[in-house]
Amino acid sequence: MVANAMGPNLGGGRGMRPGTGAVRRGVDLDRSQRLPKGLVRRVWRQFARPYRGKLLQLLFAISAASALVVAPALLVKRIVDALQRRPADAVGVVTDNALLLVAVAAVTAGLSLWQRYLSSEVGERLIYDLRRQLYDHVARMPLAFFTRTQTGALVSRLNNDVVGAQRALTGTFGTLTANVVQVAFAVGGMLLISWPLTLLTLSVLPLFVVLAKGVGRRLQDLTRESMQLNAEMNTVMTERFNVAGAALVKLFGRQEEETERFGASAARVADVGVRSAVVGRLFFVILAFVGAVGTAAVYLIGGRLALSGALSAGDVVAFAVLVTQAYQPLAALTNAPVEVLTALVSFDRVFEILDLRHPIADADDAVELRNARGEVVFDRVSFAYPSAAHSSLASLEHGLAPVLDATPGPQVISDVSFVADPGQTVALVGPSGAGKSTLLALVSRLYDVSAGSVRIDGHDVRDLTLASLSAAVGVVPQDPHLFHDTVRENLRYAKPDATDAELEAACRAARIHHVIAALRDGYDTVVGERGYRLSGGEKQRLAIARVLLKNPAIVVLDEATAHLDSESEALVQEALATALAGRTSLVIAHRLSTVVHADQILVVADGRIVQRGTSAELLGADGVYAELYRTQFAGT
Ligand SMILES: Nc1ncnc2c1ncn2[C@@H]1O[C@H](COP(=O)(O)OP(=O)(O)O)[C@@H](O)[C@H]1O
Ligand SMILES: [Mg+2]
């Protein structure tokens, strides 16, 4: 969707159509119904001001076009009068006014094009500004935000609400101007012809205003509802149509239920569509009917006045036209406050996101970590995952509750201290759910500690710039993500200017080169969710190669548990030995070879370090490690 068309005489209907976007009843309505103070000023300051020159021109073009709408009525009046009264120069008058009609049409056409250009120019730039800012803002949110929010809702915010906000600025703004100017000129023309008749025709307005207002409100509610329902539908699709979601549906044989569920959403969208179509039409029907009654009244009373000689025939004809031209914009204006509010809802929803804080961001006095040695210290670290209220927005979550839970999660890490000297390999072992992955996520600040501190080379990680921290810490997750792109581009993500030779060297070191070379397209093979499928172990080795290209001082690795027996353990071991040589490495170990070669083993259970030492030391002391060693590593 692009900027709304704004003809000069669209009157009542503009800006009242139910749009598509996203608001959920009960979740967002409370916020959107009462818009925050200063919203308009903020819209102006933050987004409209740069375009004030163009907006001014737009205002002028709209006003001029709207004023011209009443011109034909007055020209026709002169023609009709000339035909009736037949003055000496009747032919000349008719010709002149006919030519003027053409001129008015030509100017109107020109203005209309200019106006459209301006409104789309401003509108599209605004969309661009909003999208860019939103994207950047969202991208800087901490990981906790993405673990909670629904991608569909977020995408909807960046698509539909941004367009809604743009419409608010160019559409509603233009509509208002056009209507005010048109009413002014139409009523002005009517007054010129006959003020008593004018008063008479305007006397039906109060009734009309009441009717139009009621219908307008209803229409606005329906619009909001439809936006919300559309967003819900989006969410269902984005969740179910990605590979993992689709597989789940198949594996559990839930095809029918899913279709039912989607169908129910779609049916509600259809229902609301019908209701808003009828209510919308009701609005026009009332408008048309009142217009017709007004016109009839003009002929009835104006006709008598003309017969008595108080008015000319041309006056009556022109007046009848002007009446409809005044009613239309007046009808639209009765709903202007509602319309403006509706339009501003989108801006509010955009600001709602732009106002989210970035809890994990560079401190004001953040320092650059240069030439990291790679000493990692955990000093009495405790951690609980942040509460929903602290990491997300109700309107972006699936929940039905309008308010998010603010109680933080249970403490997952308790009082953990250890030191990894530069170049050391520290292995973390322990049962699933013990908190090993969580512990390592704290090193690269995917989350911030709740208490204590994580220090690299003596700096609290919260005092370092995020850029230098990410350069110093390379992470190989358990199930690494590859973008839908070639192997080459996925590797270059770590180092955009890497040469092919560098890529190959990294892949050889990670023992993955021979696998890639054997593919038909080699390094140009497209991988990722919809590309060539590497096995879990291959993916991890590719991720190791990616980290090698980045060349960080510290490597954090969550060993793949998948495909353990199918892959040569020696190969992985070699890859690791090369990858980790000369770097500090924190490894969640599932392989015996990794554990026995570690300088230090930390046994984690229930968020605490329960044992530490080398493999030999720990085997000597009968405990959790010895137990794990027997059950977990014995077979491999
Ligand atoms: N994103 C998250 N939000 C809330 N709790 C989480 C999250 N990730 C993990 N947890 C919880 O933290 C605990 C430790 O998980 P994790 O660090 O993944 O354990 P491990 O890697 O040792 O198997 C578990 O109880 C898990 O349910
Ligand atoms: Mg884990």
Side-chain angles (χ1 to χ4, degrees):
M1 267 180 283
V2 288
N4 223 9
M6 286 189 298
N9 50 6
L10 292 175
R14 273 171 302 163
M16 308 236 20
R17 256 165 266 128
T20 47
V23 196
R24 169 192 272 274
R25 244 174 195 291
V27 172
D28 253 19
L29 283 191
D30 13 7
R31 181 181 162 109
S32 42
Q33 266 168 357
R34 245 180 293 120
L35 291 171
K37 276 196 189 133
L39 182 66
V40 174
R41 204 169 339 125
R42 185 168 175 195
V43 168
W44 174 255
R45 268 215 215 114
Q46 230 168 315
F47 293 101
R49 194 139 66 178
Y51 308 112
R52 57 177 178 268
K54 286 227 162 70
L55 282 170
L56 215 65
Q57 289 181 53
L58 183 60
L59 203 67
F60 173 75
I62 290 171
S63 308
S66 307
L68 275 180
V69 169
V70 301
L74 299 175
L75 297 175
V76 168
K77 168 189 139 59
R78 289 206 221 146
I79 294 175
V80 174
D81 283 347
L83 294 179
Q84 195 201 16
R85 292 180 185 151
R86 298 179 180 261
D89 60 342
V91 175
V93 171
V94 170
T95 316
D96 288 353
N97 284 296
L99 287 177
L100 275 175
L101 278 172
V102 174
V104 167
V107 174
T108 304
L111 283 172
S112 161
L113 281 175
W114 188 32
Q115 186 187 319
R116 191 72 187 85
Y117 159 72
L118 288 168
S119 71
S120 57
E121 173 78 18
V122 173
E124 296 298 327
R125 296 264 167 263
L126 180 80
I127 289 181
Y128 166 83
D129 291 348
L130 285 173
R131 283 220 171 111
R132 233 197 113 104
Q133 278 198 34
L134 274 175
Y135 185 93
D136 184 63
H137 198 87
V138 167
R140 285 172 200 280
M141 291 304 291
L143 196 65
F145 175 79
F146 297 96
T147 62
R148 298 208 60 98
T149 51
Q150 297 211 328
T151 315
L154 207 51
V155 169
S156 175
R157 207 58 74 100
L158 263 89
N159 280 335
N160 303 330
D161 284 290
V162 159
V163 173
Q166 167 265 325
R167 252 194 235 149
L169 195 68
T170 55
T172 310
F173 163 82
T175 312
L176 275 180
T177 315
N179 289 333
V180 169
V181 173
Q182 203 183 318
V183 168
F185 274 81
V187 173
M190 284 156 68
L191 285 172
L192 272 183
I193 295 172
S194 160
W195 67 263
L197 205 51
T198 307
L199 288 187
L200 184 82
T201 46
L202 293 185
S203 66
V204 294
L205 276 178
L207 169 74
F208 182 61
V209 167
V210 171
L211 281 175
K213 261 210 156 114
V215 176
R217 282 261 157 74
R218 184 83 196 95
L219 203 54
Q220 192 209 10
D221 286 348
L222 287 170
T223 304
R224 240 186 254 255
E225 201 177 331
S226 127
M227 285 164 105
Q228 185 59 41
L229 291 173
N230 270 300
E232 262 171 54
M233 226 166 44
N234 264 353
T235 306
V236 173
M237 288 189 276
T238 47
E239 268 223 298
R240 301 303 189 277
F241 287 171
N242 65 57
V243 176
L248 198 64
V249 171
K250 286 182 194 308
L251 292 175
F252 284 84
R254 301 281 299 210
Q255 192 55 60
E256 308 243 316
E257 289 91 335
E258 289 294 342
T259 304
E260 272 313 305
R261 197 179 123 144
F262 179 78
S265 274
R268 276 157 68 206
V269 170
D271 281 349
V272 172
V274 171
R275 270 187 286 151
S276 52
V278 172
V279 174
R281 180 50 61 91
L282 189 62
F283 188 83
F284 286 104
V285 167
I286 294 174
L287 177 70
F289 186 73
V290 174
V293 171
T295 314
V298 168
Y299 283 123
L300 186 75
I301 297 160
R304 279 159 202 254
L305 287 173
L307 286 175
S308 73
L311 286 179
S312 71
D315 284 338
V316 178
V317 171
F319 203 96
V321 175
L322 288 174
V323 163
T324 13
Q325 284 172 350
Y327 277 165
Q328 271 194 2
L330 272 173
L333 285 175
T334 57
N335 276 304
V338 178
E339 247 177 82
V340 170
L341 283 182
T342 311
L344 287 175
V345 166
S346 285
F347 264 112
D348 190 36
R349 286 166 59 82
V350 166
F351 286 145
E352 188 184 33
I353 295 205
L354 290 180
D355 287 345
L356 288 171
R357 286 179 322 105
H358 288 142
I360 299 186
D362 283 357
D364 291 337
D365 51 357
V367 292
E368 197 69 40
L369 178 65
R370 290 214 193 83
N371 306 319
R373 289 177 299 120
E375 183 204 48
V376 179
V377 175
F378 271 62
D379 185 4
R380 315 208 61 176
V381 169
S382 294
F383 175 74
Y385 278 97
S387 69
H390 276 96
S391 41
S392 171
L393 261 182
S395 54
L396 292 175
E397 294 213 8
H398 190 63
L400 298 159
V403 180
L404 292 175
D405 192 2
T407 46
Q411 187 151 311
V412 173
I413 302 295
S414 308
D415 203 23
V416 164
S417 299
F418 70 87
V419 177
D421 288 329
Q424 267 198 342
T425 297
V426 175
L428 279 72
V429 298
S432 160
K436 306 179 297 293
S437 300
T438 306
L439 210 54
L440 294 194
L442 299 174
V443 180
S444 41
R445 280 194 86 192
L446 289 182
Y447 298 91
D448 272 343
V449 298
S450 313
S453 62
V454 177
R455 293 196 293 271
I456 293 179
D457 292 359
H459 300 283
D460 189 319
V461 287
R462 288 168 293 186
D463 296 335
L464 296 171
T465 61
L466 286 171
S468 69
L469 178 64
S470 110
V473 183
V475 179
V476 182
Q478 200 161 28
D479 185 17
H481 185 72
L482 297 173
F483 287 122
H484 180 85
D485 206 338
T486 60
V487 170
R488 191 189 315 279
E489 287 314 311
N490 267 292
L491 288 166
R492 281 214 179 117
Y493 202 68
K495 189 181 180 193
D497 58 353
T499 63
D500 284 352
E502 282 177 285
L503 297 186
E504 198 184 311
C507 289
R508 279 185 193 283
R511 304 296 186 273
I512 187 68
H513 172 73
H514 65 282
V515 176
I516 302 169
L519 297 173
R520 196 159 55 87
D521 295 323
Y523 280 81
D524 292 317
T525 307
V526 173
V527 291
E529 206 172 82
R530 279 158 188 83
Y532 179 82
R533 291 300 189 126
L534 294 161
S535 78
E538 287 166 349
K539 238 162 108 182
Q540 250 213 346
R541 268 146 50 214
L542 196 61
I544 291 175
R546 186 159 63 182
V547 162
L548 286 179
L549 281 166
K550 185 161 120 169
N551 195 21
I554 301 159
V555 172
V556 167
L557 177 114
D558 203 339
E559 273 188 348
T561 43
H563 305 273
L564 260 186
D565 2 277
S566 64
E567 285 181 48
S568 148
E569 164 125 14
L571 207 60
V572 179
Q573 190 48 43
E574 276 174 42
L576 285 181
T578 327
L580 307 182
R583 302 174 212 277
T584 313
S585 44
L586 306 177
V587 183
I588 296 175
H590 300 292
R591 293 182 177 87
L592 183 59
S593 47
T594 314
V595 183
V596 295
H597 288 110
D599 298 297
Q600 195 184 161
I601 298 165
L602 305 175
V603 183
V604 184
D606 214 6
R608 294 172 191 278
I609 297 179
V610 292
Q611 264 191 311
R612 63 179 86 204
T614 61
S615 185
E617 286 165 10
L618 292 175
L619 280 175
D622 208 32
V624 183
Y625 179 75
E627 174 82 2
L628 268 173
Y629 189 91
R630 277 193 298 275
T631 56
Q632 209 171 321
F633 304 128
T636 47

